[in-house]
Amino acid sequence: MATSRTSAPVLIVGSGPAGLTAALYTARANLHPIVLEGAEAGGQLMLTTEVENYPGFPTGILGPELMGKMREQAERFGAEFIRADATKVELAGPPFRAWVEDVEYTGKALIISTGAKAKMLGLPGERQYLGRGVSTCATCDGFFYRNLELVVVGGGDSALEEATFLTRFATKVTVVHRRDRLRASKVMQDRAFANPKIGFEWNSTVADVLGEQTVTGVRLRNLEDGTEKVLPVAGVFVAIGHTPNTDLFGGQVELDQAGYIVTPNPPSTATSVDGVFAAGDVVDHTYRQAVTAAGTGCAAAIDAERWLEAHGHDSGATTDNWE
Amino acid sequence: MDPGRGDHPFEEVEVHRGRGPDRTDDMTKAAAVTDATFDSDVLQSSTPVLVDFWAEWCGPCKMISPVLEEIADEHKGKLTIAKLNVDENPDVAMRYGVMSIPTLALFIGGVEKKRLIGAMPKRNIVTELSEFIG
């Protein structure tokens, strides 16, 4: 969606539930947000199917559909979207500046909601066979594994959700987890344990991904006794957690050791840079839910609005003369 | 692979069809190709064809769909974009060993010259294709 405007009272980077909720609230506050929504617009929910825990949808809603509706709702109130990744930011402001290649966007206040991305195992075979048996998106690629055997690596909710989903296609799904118990929620565990197609390899990691043209198996290492064995499978789905998307911001705003943006005075979403706010999974390594991201996105919008008011921004002003 | 409609694993998904914003439905800049038309529309095309292997249930496919429209717009006459729904057209997807979507495959003179797997920014797609489409 093209826009002629490149400056706004509020600039938002990221378009998952946090960014889109911030866009909705700032748009309704007449702050004419511009959202750099990124090449992976919609964020991690675009990789899911049924979302069963977003309040207000008693029979569930598809992740991409939920994100489509959030975007539509923000757009209805005047949020503008740039469908490209920010390639550089400059947080010495206000105004705060972000670039998409050589196009510069500025915001008097900035909301960072760039989320997190799935971690990979970091094995040579994993990269080699990405898209040829190694997948990071069960909902996208499960279809191609009809009547085949798979492994899912991980022990959290997303791992079990993927394993459960993949049993629609696969004859057997083995969950490989490095501990002897799962981190996943009770309801997901119950569902997985009750599924006859799901098996477990406890206290184990994937030592390598094996293949020829495509994946033919994984080499598993038992962490207790160090023994290794090969499990013949056609596909490997990785769900071992997330890492925040903060490469753009390093050195310009305080990050914690794991790379998440620090908001030093919660519940405020203010970061170490005055006028820069952060919300959603880029901050949150505790809850990481769509609804908590939306909640903090709302908080960031209100924080930004109040900050702008305190700094003399008249929200009735047109977008051209706020400077 | 037998995607018999009766026991389709994504039946639940299909119930929702049309409720969400679907950028592929009103696609005007990319032609749909099928198992039946792939040979004539893609392999025998006189211009390079970028085939977008996609499916309704695939979120990242929806992410890149508008990007592909832009690319089609900017390369009129030099590049055709063709969308192949893998759900409805499993033969071509299987023939080319597609195991992950979105997959973009560039065909020139009936030969696959380049394959890009997964959603990626527009500039990456354009850079990857540049040596073939100028």
Side-chain angles (χ1 to χ4, degrees), chain A residues 128-149:
Chain A
Q128 186 182 346
Y129 295 110
L130 193 62
R132 294 179 177 81
V134 175
S135 175
T136 54
C137 180
T139 58
C140 306
D141 301 342
F143 172 79
F144 299 103
Y145 296 88
R146 195 182 296 271
N147 299 323
L148 297 170
E149 297 194 7

Side-chain angles (χ1 to χ4, degrees), chain B residues 38 41-43 45-53 68 71 75 78-82 96 98 103-117 125-134:
Chain B
F38 185 82
D41 289 356
V42 176
L43 298 184
S45 167
S46 54
T47 48
V49 184
L50 184 67
V51 180
D52 172 21
F53 292 87
L68 294 178
I71 293 174
H75 295 82
K78 285 192 283 185
L79 179 71
T80 308
I81 302 216
Y96 288 94
V98 172
T103 282
L104 302 175
L106 180 69
F107 288 86
I108 301 177
V111 180
E112 184 182 349
K113 295 285 190 183
K114 187 85 193 174
R115 181 176 294 204
L116 307 174
I117 297 169
I125 299 174
V126 172
T127 305
E128 294 282 354
L129 299 182
S130 59
E131 63 172 297
F132 302 101
I133 58 174

Side-chain angles (χ1 to χ4, degrees), chain B residues 8 27 35 56 59 73-74 94-95 99 102 117 126:
Chain B
H8 197 280
M27 180 66 56
D35 281 346
E56 183 67 34
D73 241 4
E74 291 159 9
M94 202 157 63
R95 195 194 322 168
M99 298 174 74
I117 297 169
V126 172

Side-chain angles (χ1 to χ4, degrees), chain B residues 2-42:
Chain B
D2 171 28
R5 310 301 298 177
D7 60 352
H8 197 280
F10 278 104
E11 264 170 358
E12 308 90 305
V13 174
E14 296 195 325
V15 171
H16 293 277
R17 226 171 237 182
R19 272 172 49 198
D22 179 2
R23 294 164 173 281
T24 55
D25 279 351
D26 57 1
M27 180 66 56
T28 51
K29 288 157 189 145
V33 292
T34 65
D35 281 346
T37 64
F38 185 82
D39 286 11
S40 58
D41 289 356
V42 176

Side-chain angles (χ1 to χ4, degrees), chain A:
Chain A
M1 185 125 337
T3 174
S4 51
R5 218 153 50 84
T6 55
S7 70
V10 175
L11 183 61
I12 298 170
V13 186
S15 63
L20 293 182
T21 305
L24 170 65
Y25 271 76
T26 50
R28 285 175 55 84
N30 206 18
L31 294 171
H32 312 284
I34 293 176
V35 183
L36 305 184
E37 60 181 338
E40 293 177 25
Q44 296 172 72
L45 280 174
M46 297 298 283
L47 307 180
T48 64
T49 50
E50 284 87 353
V51 178
E52 295 178 330
N53 55 11
Y54 199 87
F57 299 92
T59 56
I61 180 167
L62 297 175
E65 191 184 353
L66 178 62
M67 298 323 295
K69 284 178 184 294
M70 284 191 194
R71 190 181 189 279
E72 209 180 319
Q73 194 175 357
E75 204 167 25
R76 180 183 153 204
F77 293 103
E80 289 185 41
F81 293 88
I82 309 297
R83 192 178 278 268
D85 282 334
T87 48
K88 190 175 101 175
V89 296
E90 174 68 68
L91 302 189
F96 302 100
R97 300 188 288 167
W99 285 263
V100 171
E101 302 300 327
D102 50 2
V103 183
E104 181 184 335
Y105 295 90
T106 59
K108 191 170 184 185
L110 177 72
I111 296 174
I112 300 172
S113 51
T114 46
K117 59 177 172 292
K119 271 187 199 158
M120 300 295 286
L121 295 164
L123 301 168
E126 179 184 45
R127 187 129 289 282
Q128 186 182 346
Y129 295 110
L130 193 62
R132 294 179 177 81
V134 175
S135 175
T136 54
C137 180
T139 58
C140 306
D141 301 342
F143 172 79
F144 299 103
Y145 296 88
R146 195 182 296 271
N147 299 323
L148 297 170
E149 297 194 7
L150 303 172
V151 293
V152 171
V153 190
D157 270 341
S158 17
L160 293 196
E161 208 172 299
E162 292 200 355
T164 305
F165 173 78
L166 289 168
T167 59
R168 296 188 194 185
F169 310 95
T171 48
K172 184 166 188 217
V173 177
T174 303
V175 176
V176 178
H177 185 45
R178 62 197 161 115
R179 303 190 198 289
D180 61 1
R181 69 187 64 155
L182 300 164
R183 288 191 319 269
S185 62
K186 187 74 169 54
V187 60
M188 290 307 302
Q189 291 198 30
D190 289 349
R191 206 175 285 176
F193 288 138
N195 189 324
K197 287 184 173 179
I198 296 180
F200 291 86
E201 287 285 347
W202 302 104
N203 301 308
S204 298
T205 57
V206 173
D208 206 358
V209 177
L210 313 171
E212 287 158 21
Q213 293 295 317
T214 60
V215 167
T216 55
V218 289
R219 192 154 48 81
L220 297 181
R221 181 180 299 139
N222 185 301
L223 295 172
E224 293 209 300
D225 56 20
T227 56
E228 295 195 345
K229 67 177 175 187
V230 170
L231 192 64
V233 291
V236 183
F237 289 77
V238 183
I240 54 168
H242 296 87
T243 180
N245 295 320
T246 50
D247 290 352
L248 272 183
F249 310 105
Q252 301 196 61
V253 65
E254 189 186 349
L255 307 179
D256 71 11
Q257 282 185 336
Y260 290 85
I261 293 179
V262 175
T263 52
N265 302 301
S268 167
T269 60
T271 67
S272 62
V273 178
D274 196 30
V276 176
F277 303 86
D281 283 10
V282 76
V283 175
D284 172 16
H285 38 72
T286 308
Y287 305 108
R288 299 189 298 105
Q289 302 301 303
V291 65
T292 51
T296 56
C298 165
I302 293 172
D303 289 342
E305 184 185 358
R306 290 182 180 158
W307 184 86
L308 286 167
E309 276 169 16
H311 289 73
H313 177 74
D314 172 7
S315 64
T318 70
T319 57
D320 298 325
N321 62 7
W322 58 264
E323 285 171 310

